[in-house]
């Protein structure tokens, strides 16, 4: 359960001409489509006609004729050849496996007009899932918080965490996959995307990415502007991706989002008894975290202390559908009772925890330079614990990246060089990628982008939100190429979220 809980929380982030274009005839010889793996989309039906394959790509794009690795690719082909525009590469964020993401989008009611216009292409990023994986040989204890640091109550907590993550970094670089690690990055994943495009015989690729997938999409269209067709970025990271400043923004995101959950609990006081007003609910959160720090609720297979409460709350603020689950968890812990198991914690996902968490560490640590001084993190935690009391001392805590060797490539700088073909959509109250992050990405993309904001809470706008005003321009842009002429804001949907 400890591993399963961590994965349930986690589930609820320059070379421009490396690969010549290919013709459709050539691509048919390169990719051999067949049935997808049985675990391609746990809990979600695989749409009829969805197929999978494996593509060989260079491990090191500086040596394209050298060692190759596997990239797992899926395709849900358009059934309307007369309406088909091309390919739409999709990514769910994470970084996580995306091979089954076309199935997720179909389940989320991706409009038929989009399905008719494109072959929808999913893939597992290098290092993760059915692509060539990496491992840090993580123990169950090291997997407990996934890739999110625990809430630090003191400088001593940061120092203890520093020792723990130094050991994780050491394990990563002494593992059997250590030779792969320098090459597991967002930039190389973007190059893998261009290999997919080329193997499919397409001159250009459209793209729909969420969360960390916005950084991937921004890097792709920066590296390959002339091969980018229609680019949609949903719930945006800053242009630097998942780096230390981005992690500290989680704290602002929780401050923005928790009032929505507090209002939900206050409106349902008779059911949950956790406060009659949002202010009382927020006070309850702090009281409950403090009490659990002194006396955790211990279940046979999990321990719930204040740090775990804060982590689960952060993850379950992602969507309105998760609010009743989070409310029941708070209610149980308030009564000193073990909460019910989190839903959707598939064993197959839990079994892949090590390589998922390891792959994420490799990507985020290679993508940017992290502070190396423990004192830097201790000072930041002290500041953010006061400035953002809900989650600040977690978002500012130290990661294994502090002990990671320098990557062989400098980070890609997202810029406004390229066609004006990017549409951004963003909720105002997103716990993981708050508005401040999207505003930074918008500024970096400059004239290339238009941004639509929605007066909503939660992580994910297109399909996973209920704001028709924000959903409409995405479908319109993907199917017609017509993009809003300027940034605009959508008011809240009629049904509260």
């Amino acid at each position: 359960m400890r591993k399963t809980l961590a994965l349930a929380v986690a589930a609820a982030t320059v070379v421009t001409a490396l690969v010549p274009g290919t013709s459709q005839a050539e691509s048919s010889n390169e990719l051999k489509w067949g049935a997808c793996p049985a675990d391609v989309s746990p809990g979600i039906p695989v749409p009829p006609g969805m197929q999978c394959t494996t593509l060989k790509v260079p491990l090191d794009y500086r040596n394209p004729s050298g060692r190759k690795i596997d990239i797992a690719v899926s395709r849900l082909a358009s059934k309307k050849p007369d309406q088909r525009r091309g390919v739409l590469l999709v990514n769910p964020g994470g970084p996580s496996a995306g091979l089954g993401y076309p199935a997720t989008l179909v389940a989320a009611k991706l409009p038929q007009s989009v399905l008719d216009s494109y072959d929808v292409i999913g893939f597992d990023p290098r290092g993760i899932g059915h692509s060539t994986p990496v491992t840090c040989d993580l123990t169950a204890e090291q997997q407990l918080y996934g890739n999110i640091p625990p809430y630090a109550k003191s400088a001593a907590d940061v120092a203890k965490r520093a020792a723990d993550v130094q050991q994780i970094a050491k394990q990563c670089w002494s593992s059997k996959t250590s030779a792969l690690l320098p090459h597991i990055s967002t930039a190389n994943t973007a190059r893998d995307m261009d290999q997919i495009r080329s193997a499919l015989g397409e001159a250009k690729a459209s793209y729909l990415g969420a969360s960390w997938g916005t950084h991937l999409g921004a890097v792709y269209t920066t590296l390959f502007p002339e091969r980018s067709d229609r680019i949609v970025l949903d719930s945006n990271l800053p242009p630097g991706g998942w780096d230390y400043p981005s992690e500290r923004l989680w704290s602002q995101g929780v401050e923005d989002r928790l009032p929505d959950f507090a209002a939900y609990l206050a409106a349902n006081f008779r059911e949950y008894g956790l406060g009659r007003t949002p202010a009382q609910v927020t006070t309850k959160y702090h009281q409950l975290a403090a009490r659990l720090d002194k006396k955790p609720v211990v279940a046979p297979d999990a321990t719930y202390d204040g740090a775990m409460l804060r982590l689960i709350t952060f993850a379950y603020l992602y969507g309105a559908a998760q609010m009743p689950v989070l409310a029941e968890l708070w209610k149980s812990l308030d009564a000193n009772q073990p909460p019910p198991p989190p839903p959707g914690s598939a064993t197959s996902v839990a079994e892949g925890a090590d390589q998922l968490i390891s792959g994420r560490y490799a990507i985020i640590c290679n993508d940017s330079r992290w502070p190396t001084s423990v004192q830097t993190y201790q000072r930041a935690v002290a500041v953010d614990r006061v400035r953002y009391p809900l989650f600040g001392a977690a978002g500012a805590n130290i990661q294994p990246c502090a002990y990671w060797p320098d990557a062989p490539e400098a980070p890609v700088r997202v810029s406004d060089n390229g066609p004006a073909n990017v549409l951004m959509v963003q909720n105002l109250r997103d716990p993981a990628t708050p508005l401040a992050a999207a505003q930074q990405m918008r500024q970096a993309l400059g004239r290339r982008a238009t941004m639509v904001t929605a007066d909503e809470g939660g992580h994910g706008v297109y399909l996973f939100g209920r704001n028709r005003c924000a959903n409409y321009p995405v479908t319109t842009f993907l199917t017609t190429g017509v993009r809003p002429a300027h940034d605009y804001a959508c008011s809240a949907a009629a049904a509260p979220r």
Side-chain angles (χ1 to χ4, degrees):
M1 171 64 176
R2 294 173 71 84
K3 184 190 292 186
T4 302
L5 176 62
L7 264 292
V9 168
T13 136
V14 180
V15 180
T16 61
L18 291 164
V19 184
T22 61
S23 69
Q24 188 65 47
E26 290 172 326
S27 73
S28 64
N29 293 325
E30 293 181 16
L31 297 180
K32 297 181 180 179
W33 298 98
C36 291
D39 61 349
V40 67
S41 58
I44 298 174
V46 177
M50 182 168 143
Q51 298 174 300
C52 291
T53 190
T54 300
L55 178 67
K56 296 286 186 182
V57 302
L59 170 64
D60 183 351
Y61 279 92
R62 298 168 302 177
N63 180 23
S65 62
R67 181 178 176 180
K68 300 296 192 292
I69 59 173
D70 292 336
I71 300 298
V73 183
S74 62
R75 177 181 67 179
L76 183 61
S78 168
K79 296 180 175 60
K80 297 288 183 66
D82 58 325
Q83 298 179 29
R84 180 186 180 279
R85 175 177 179 80
V87 294
L88 177 68
L89 275 68
V90 297
N91 182 273
S96 297
L99 193 66
Y101 197 46
T104 300
L105 293 173
V106 169
K109 311 269 188 230
L110 184 67
Q112 189 62 47
S113 57
V114 178
L115 292 169
D116 291 341
S117 298
Y118 298 96
D119 294 348
V120 181
I121 308 296
F123 60 96
D124 286 348
R126 55 170 57 202
I128 291 174
H130 290 278
S131 294
T132 299
V134 295
T135 178
C136 293
D137 298 319
L138 300 172
T139 66
E141 196 67 26
Q142 289 171 330
Q143 296 173 28
L144 184 59
Y145 282 86
N147 299 93
I148 301 174
Y151 188 91
K153 301 183 295 297
S154 65
D157 282 352
V158 179
K160 179 183 182 302
R161 166 76 175 173
D164 293 341
V165 298
Q166 186 175 25
Q167 176 60 34
I168 289 175
K170 180 179 178 181
Q171 289 172 210
C172 294
W173 287 92
S174 61
S175 75
K176 63 185 179 183
T177 60
S178 60
L180 304 177
L181 291 182
H183 311 289
I184 308 299
S185 66
T186 299
N188 280 333
T189 303
R191 294 176 181 124
D192 295 341
M193 285 172 53
D194 203 55
Q195 291 269 22
I196 295 170
R197 173 206 58 78
S198 177
L200 292 169
E202 299 290 336
K204 293 186 177 184
S206 292
Y207 179 80
L208 170 63
S211 194
W212 171 80
T214 62
H215 180 54
L216 176 60
V219 169
Y220 179 80
T221 199
T222 296
L223 293 177
F224 304 102
E226 76 286 359
R227 299 177 189 171
S228 305
D229 193 11
R230 299 167 182 173
I231 308 297
V232 177
L233 309 180
D234 181 345
S235 306
N236 294 264
L237 280 171
W242 183 345
D243 56 8
Y244 186 52
S246 172
E247 280 206 353
R248 293 184 72 180
L249 282 176
W250 293 339
S251 306
Q252 178 63 63
V254 175
E255 297 284 339
D256 293 341
R257 176 60 166 159
L258 190 74
D260 292 339
F261 181 57
Y264 170 82
L265 286 179
N268 293 277
F269 173 75
R270 290 188 178 182
E271 182 174 358
Y272 300 117
L274 294 166
R276 295 180 181 275
T277 66
Q280 290 178 355
V281 170
T282 303
T283 298
K284 170 66 71 174
Y285 172 79
H286 291 296
Q287 293 173 341
L288 185 55
R291 195 186 81 204
L292 290 172
D293 279 332
K294 294 179 180 178
K295 186 179 180 182
V297 171
V298 180
D301 44 13
T303 298
Y304 296 87
D305 59 6
M308 184 56 71
L309 171 71
R310 293 177 190 273
L311 172 64
I312 295 173
T313 298
F314 167 65
Y316 279 64
L317 290 175
Y318 275 36
Q322 295 172 300
M323 285 189 178
V325 179
L326 183 58
E328 290 292 346
L329 183 140
W330 278 29
K331 182 179 178 181
S332 297
L333 294 177
D334 189 51
N336 287 310
Q337 298 295 322
S345 50
T347 302
S348 61
V349 176
E351 289 172 350
D354 169 56
Q355 64 113 296
L356 173 62
I357 297 169
S358 301
R360 286 181 178 175
Y361 279 143
I363 290 172
I364 67 176
C365 296
N366 284 330
D367 274 1
S368 61
R369 307 291 185 254
W370 292 64
T372 58
S373 165
V374 175
Q375 289 73 28
T376 297
Y377 294 94
Q378 288 173 324
R379 287 192 294 269
V381 163
V383 169
D384 287 3
R385 188 188 303 113
V386 175
R387 183 181 295 166
Y388 305 112
L390 298 175
F391 201 65
N397 208 349
I398 192 168
Q399 290 276 42
C401 305
Y403 301 98
W404 208 262
D406 286 344
E409 177 183 13
V412 174
R413 181 178 177 273
V414 173
S415 74
D416 63 355
N417 294 323
N421 63 345
V422 180
L423 174 62
M424 301 170 58
V425 286
Q426 178 72 34
N427 284 330
L428 295 186
R429 300 180 302 283
D430 186 320
T433 56
L435 179 63
Q439 289 170 333
Q440 293 176 30
M441 178 70 89
R442 175 69 183 86
Q443 183 175 11
L445 289 168
R447 63 173 189 82
R448 296 199 64 187
T450 296
M451 184 164 75
V452 176
T453 55
D455 185 5
E456 306 287 351
H459 189 51
V461 179
Y462 186 56
L463 306 181
F464 300 97
R466 295 185 293 188
N467 194 298
R468 294 179 62 186
C469 169
N471 277 295
Y472 175 80
V474 177
T475 299
T476 300
F477 178 52
L478 288 175
T479 55
T480 71
V482 176
R483 195 184 63 157
H486 52 76
D487 296 1
Y488 69 86
C490 294
S491 58
R497 294 189 65 232

